Amino acid sequence: MDRQKFLTEMQKRTYITANSEMHLYMHEASQRALRYTSEINGKYHEPEKLRALFSELIGKEPDETFGLFPPFSTDYGLNITVGRRVFINSGCCFQDQGGIEIGDDCLIGQQVVIATLNHDPDPQKRGNMSPAPVKIGNGVWIGAHATILPGVTIGDGAIIGAGAVVTKDVPPMTIAAGVPAKIIKTIE
């Protein structure tokens, strides 16, 4: 399996069977991501060098306004897209096989987790997975320690409260908080 075929299957949300060709590809590709994140996290880098390393990790050039405070963790890297003026704070963990899109002008707080894979609930098939992308609109602020689960879309201008567990879509210009996250306010 190659990168393009894998990404095509992820876009189709193809079910991943444990020990299948897709699953084995994921394990091999994670080694690449570990090499890049080890370099990102292993020592101090000037912002320009961090952008260059992040670019290699995700396989595309982030805007010059992109900012990252390590440590940063991801187990694939090649299915992350970031817009302009995006800042990812320290300790974030992205599971991006299913796809993570972050719009312009987004702030991602410390230790935010974004997951794009669900394991099969059947104990006999627990190693199998279903991918679902996470899409974060423009101008979104995700508070520290929030968790965004597979398949969630966060609308433009929304705020996710610190520590929230987001299990379903969040409309634009709203504040969602809690476990599970609920809409608590509309932004005027």
Side-chain angles (χ1 to χ4, degrees), residues 149-167:
L149 294 182
V152 167
T153 296
I154 300 172
D156 292 348
I159 297 172
I160 306 301
V165 177
V166 184
T167 61

Side-chain angles (χ1 to χ4, degrees), residues 13-179:
R13 297 186 178 198
T14 300
Y15 185 77
I16 304 163
T17 303
N19 299 313
S20 66
E21 181 183 15
M22 281 181 29
H23 191 232
L24 295 175
Y25 170 83
M26 288 169 55
H27 281 277
E28 291 169 15
S30 69
Q31 295 306 304
R32 178 194 164 280
L34 286 170
R35 281 192 303 276
Y36 282 111
T37 56
S38 291
E39 177 64 22
I40 288 169
N41 300 329
K43 63 182 179 179
Y44 173 77
H45 299 287
E46 296 288 337
E48 298 79 22
K49 176 66 173 172
L50 271 177
R51 273 193 301 279
L53 289 168
F54 192 79
S55 174
E56 291 177 40
L57 173 66
I58 68 171
K60 48 186 111 47
E61 188 77 27
D63 189 76
E64 65 183 22
T65 59
F66 172 78
L68 171 69
F69 281 3
F72 176 77
S73 176
T74 187
D75 48 8
Y76 185 56
L78 295 169
N79 210 0
I80 298 171
T81 303
V82 296
R84 298 175 316 206
R85 297 172 303 278
V86 169
F87 175 68
I88 299 173
N89 214 326
S90 62
C92 289
C93 182
F94 290 8
Q95 180 197 53
D96 68 292
Q97 288 92 339
I100 297 172
E101 293 180 26
I102 301 172
D104 296 339
D105 302 304
C106 289
L107 302 173
I108 312 295
Q110 297 96 335
Q111 298 185 356
V112 166
V113 173
I114 301 176
T116 65
L117 295 173
N118 272 321
H119 285 275
D120 196 303
D122 180 344
Q124 301 302 313
K125 299 177 183 177
R126 190 68 41 88
N128 301 348
M129 295 168 273
S130 298
V134 168
K135 296 182 181 183
I136 300 169
N138 297 320
V140 172
W141 172 23
I142 300 177
H145 297 270
T147 299
I148 314 301
L149 294 182
V152 167
T153 296
I154 300 172
D156 292 348
I159 297 172
I160 306 301
V165 177
V166 184
T167 61
K168 57 186 174 182
D169 292 353
V170 175
M173 300 302 289
T174 60
I175 300 173
V179 179

